[in-house]
């Protein structure tokens, strides 16, 4: 029974709890036991909150025993999950991937954490992030490297690497992540998951402020499109004082996965200028997906994005994030120290923001001619653990940019994007694609993604003991 439960989606588990076929306490024990047995091989959690998780699960199990089977419950009542170590959870450490800050206990819940608790989730702990969320892989001094559950020689991605590895390894059925340059889509692509980066303003950063001029967004990592959509509904919504906000959609994101979509105009590309073509396995994933979409009645057009002008300002804004964190230089990894030393002046930052906004207008204007853009997630295979550790900093940064080049389009412009798995490569590593949508149009992206999932079920599960 336990192996069967580990294969279930978060929504399926919520339904089993709602119908009293399993209790929150049983399910929490299942995941905590699995984390204890296997996470030393993966490094997905930096803090396991076993005591508080079991206390919450016990309360929920008692509540469940006292209510009728027809009673309304929060959508994810009794379902275990985890929070990325960039986000504060009251009473849990928040280290931002900095080893010296592992004893830093948060005094408040961030807004998304409050929303997830209200939705009935049980928090198992904090998942690993690359230090300050700076990098697309998760290997921090003082922590275990976060390994890919499909092939532990390779990275699970970053910066939400721990969240993705935890879901792929069966340590929790769904998790929250954040994405400032592919930091949800990159680990989703590495770990064979659905990763949703919502539109700018869809998910609040309350009670703290966002930084880096809106390039980052909190989002979801899940096994299914429906799970991600349901979690996105939970964490979305305006909070007083948000610098960006969007109106609520006409119906829930979960409902969007059930409605289907009309024939769409879909542009696709297997290359990103000036980086060139994606490696054959990622190129083929895009082309095969394009064929499936065409067979569904959608209208496909080849289009090649040119990021030449976007790279310098986006890179400047990204590098400035290390300085904005205001953490003493001596506590940072050598690569983050290099980013800090090269973060530039306030004037250079503001110039970069202005340049990015101009280029973003051009990116968004492309969508006057199509509804969705189909891209690879990566241009080449993920790195092995430690592969970039001893490279000169500038070379490491250039390699990162060349690897995840298709992703910053959505961050710079604030457009919604979703990563979807399509299969495995010869190394046993997941392969996938990403879809980028029009402004504030998660509804279309989720409907199309659910259509693809139904036509070509992903079914990727890391199998290890």
């Amino acid at each position: 029974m336990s192996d069967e439960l580990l294969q279930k989606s978060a929504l399926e588990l919520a339904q089993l709890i709602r119908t009293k076929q399993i209790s929150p306490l049983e399910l929490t024990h299942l995941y905590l036991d699995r984390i204890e047995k296997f996470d030393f091989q993966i490094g997905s959690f930096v803090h396991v909150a076993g005591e508080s998780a079991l206390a919450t699960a016990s309360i929920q199990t008692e509540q469940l025993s006292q209510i009728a089977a027809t009673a309304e419950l929060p959508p994810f009542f009794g379902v275990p999950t985890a929070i990325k170590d960039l986000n504060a959870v009251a009473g849990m450490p928040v280290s931002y991937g900095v080893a010296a800050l592992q004893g830093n206990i948060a005094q408040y819940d961030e807004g998304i954490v409050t929303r997830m608790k209200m939705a009935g989730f049980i928090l198992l702990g904090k998942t690993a992030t690359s230090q300050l969320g700076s990098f697309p892989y998760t290997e921090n001094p003082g922590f275990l490297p976060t390994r890919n559950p499909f092939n532990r020689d390779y990275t699970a991605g970053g910066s939400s690497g721990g969240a993705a590895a935890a879901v792929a390894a069966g340590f929790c059925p769904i998790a929250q992540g954040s994405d400032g340059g592919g930091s949800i889509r990159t680990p989703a692509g590495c770990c064979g998951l659905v990763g949703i980066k919502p539109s700018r303003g869809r998910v609040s950063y309350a009670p703290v402020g966002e930084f880096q001029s809106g390039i980052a967004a909190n989002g979801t990592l899940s096994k299914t499109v429906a799970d991600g959509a349901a979690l996105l509904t939970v964490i979305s919504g305006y909070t007083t004082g948000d610098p960006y906000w969007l109106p609520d959609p006409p119906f829930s994101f979960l409902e969007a996965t059930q409605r289907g979509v009309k024939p769409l105009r879909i542009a696709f590309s297997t290359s990103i200028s000036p980086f060139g073509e994606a490696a054959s396995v990622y190129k083929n994933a895009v082309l095969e997906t394009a064929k499936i979409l065409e067979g569904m009645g959608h209208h496909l057009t080849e289009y090649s994005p040119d990021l030449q002008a976007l790279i310098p300002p986006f890179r400047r804004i990204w590098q400035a994030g290390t300085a904005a964190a205001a953490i003493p230089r001596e506590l940072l990894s050598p690569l983050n120290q290099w980013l800090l030393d090269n973060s530039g002046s306030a004037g250079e930052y503001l110039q970069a923001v202005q340049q990015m906004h101009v280029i973003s207008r051009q990116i968004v204007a492309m969508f006057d001619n199509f509804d969705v853009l189909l891209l690879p997630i990566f241009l080449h295979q993920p790195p092995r653990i430690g592969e970039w550790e001893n490279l000169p900093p500038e070379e490491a940064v250039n390699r990162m940019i060349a690897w995840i080049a298709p992703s910053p389009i959505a961050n710079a412009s604030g457009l919604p994007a979703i990563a979807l798995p399509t299969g495995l490569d010869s190394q046993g590593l997941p392969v996938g694609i990403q879809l980028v949508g029009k402004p504030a149009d998660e509804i279309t992206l989720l409907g199309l993604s659910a259509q693809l999932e139904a036509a070509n079920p992903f079914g990727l599960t890391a199998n290890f003991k």
Side-chain angles (χ1 to χ4, degrees):
M1 178 63 173
S2 62
D3 286 344
E4 289 180 25
L5 289 173
L6 292 173
Q7 304 304 315
K8 299 288 186 185
S9 71
L11 287 171
E12 289 172 333
L13 292 171
Q15 181 61 19
L16 290 174
I17 291 169
R18 194 170 289 113
T19 55
K20 303 187 179 184
Q21 297 178 60
I22 187 171
S23 75
L25 189 57
E26 292 170 316
L27 195 58
T28 301
H29 272 298
L30 173 66
Y31 284 113
L32 287 174
D33 288 348
R34 186 165 173 81
I35 292 166
E36 184 178 7
K37 288 179 182 176
F38 299 118
D39 195 37
F40 74 93
Q41 301 176 35
I42 303 297
S44 64
F45 278 83
V46 294
H47 172 72
V48 178
E51 186 176 332
S52 63
L54 290 171
T56 301
S58 295
I59 292 169
Q60 290 187 340
T61 298
E62 180 62 25
Q63 291 172 337
L64 192 67
S65 71
Q66 296 177 8
I67 62 176
T70 56
E72 285 291 324
L73 289 171
F76 287 103
F77 184 87
V79 176
T81 190
I83 303 295
K84 185 176 177 179
D85 196 31
L86 292 183
N87 300 92
V89 180
M92 293 190 196
V94 56
S95 74
Y96 315 103
V98 178
L101 299 181
Q102 289 180 79
N104 179 38
I105 306 300
Q107 302 302 308
Y108 67 95
D109 286 337
E110 288 192 20
I112 55 165
V113 174
T114 299
R115 290 175 182 266
M116 290 175 72
K117 286 181 176 179
M118 290 175 63
F121 280 112
I122 296 168
L123 305 187
L124 297 175
K126 304 295 292 295
T127 55
T129 175
S130 63
Q131 193 179 83
L132 308 185
S134 298
F135 310 119
Y137 58 99
T138 308
E139 301 173 34
N140 302 324
F143 294 89
L144 291 174
T146 304
R147 298 176 179 273
N148 194 315
F150 285 87
N151 184 331
R152 279 164 270 172
D153 291 336
Y154 290 83
T155 184
S159 62
S160 307
V167 176
F171 300 151
C172 59
I174 192 169
Q176 163 270 344
S178 55
D179 190 317
S183 286
I184 286 173
R185 289 160 290 157
T186 295
C190 286
C191 295
L193 301 175
V194 177
I196 302 173
K197 185 211 84 75
S199 301
R200 182 176 298 153
R202 179 67 68 197
V203 180
S204 173
Y205 268 93
V208 298
E210 70 86 33
F211 64 101
Q212 293 183 298
S213 301
I215 66 173
N218 281 300
T220 72
L221 287 148
S222 61
K223 295 176 183 176
T224 68
V225 176
D227 271 8
L231 178 52
L232 182 58
T233 294
V234 165
I235 64 176
S236 293
Y238 172 76
T239 299
T240 302
D242 285 343
Y244 319 105
W245 63 91
L246 295 173
D248 292 335
F251 44 85
S252 76
F253 296 121
L254 179 58
E255 187 176 342
T257 68
Q258 301 159 352
R259 282 179 166 238
V261 291
K262 64 183 182 181
L264 300 169
R265 301 167 300 165
I266 301 175
F268 71 96
S269 180
T270 59
S271 67
I272 300 289
S273 180
F275 302 99
E277 286 281 337
S280 59
V281 66
Y282 305 110
K283 177 178 179 177
N284 291 338
V286 170
L287 295 177
E288 289 165 9
T289 302
K291 284 182 183 178
I292 293 172
L293 291 168
E294 202 163 38
M296 294 173 174
H298 300 294
H299 308 289
L300 277 291
T301 304
E302 192 162 5
Y303 173 86
S304 186
D306 186 346
L307 297 188
Q308 184 75 54
L310 179 61
I311 296 167
F314 192 88
R315 179 169 174 165
R316 171 64 66 203
I317 294 165
W318 165 50
Q319 290 185 195
T322 306
I327 290 174
R329 185 182 188 279
E330 63 271 17
L331 302 184
L332 300 176
S333 68
L335 190 49
N336 259 323
Q337 290 181 2
W338 184 86
L339 292 180
L340 179 63
D341 295 341
N342 292 273
S343 59
S345 68
E348 289 172 322
Y349 176 84
L350 291 174
Q351 287 174 349
V353 170
Q354 189 269 343
Q355 292 164 7
M356 184 182 73
H357 286 169
V358 170
I359 297 163
S360 295
R361 292 181 187 278
Q362 299 166 4
I363 293 171
V364 175
M366 297 187 310
F367 284 82
D368 291 342
N369 301 312
F370 50 81
D371 303 303
V372 173
L373 175 61
L374 164 62
L375 296 171
I377 302 173
F378 310 133
L379 293 185
H380 59 77
Q381 192 176 60
R384 290 176 177 270
I385 296 293
E387 183 176 338
W388 293 346
E389 183 178 2
N390 296 316
L391 293 176
E394 189 160 10
E395 183 179 348
V397 167
N398 288 336
R399 289 201 187 189
M400 292 179 218
I401 293 171
W403 176 37
I404 63 163
S407 288
I409 291 174
N411 299 95
S413 59
L415 296 172
I418 184 168
L420 301 172
T422 59
L424 298 172
D425 70 9
S426 60
Q427 303 297 314
L429 292 169
V431 176
I433 55 91
Q434 66 176 312
L435 303 172
V436 182
K438 286 188 169 186
D441 193 14
E442 288 92 341
I443 292 291
T444 297
L445 274 189
L446 290 167
L448 183 62
S449 299
Q451 196 177 44
L452 275 171
E453 185 178 48
N456 181 32
F458 312 137
L460 302 181
T461 302
N463 183 21
F464 71 92
K465 295 189 185 268

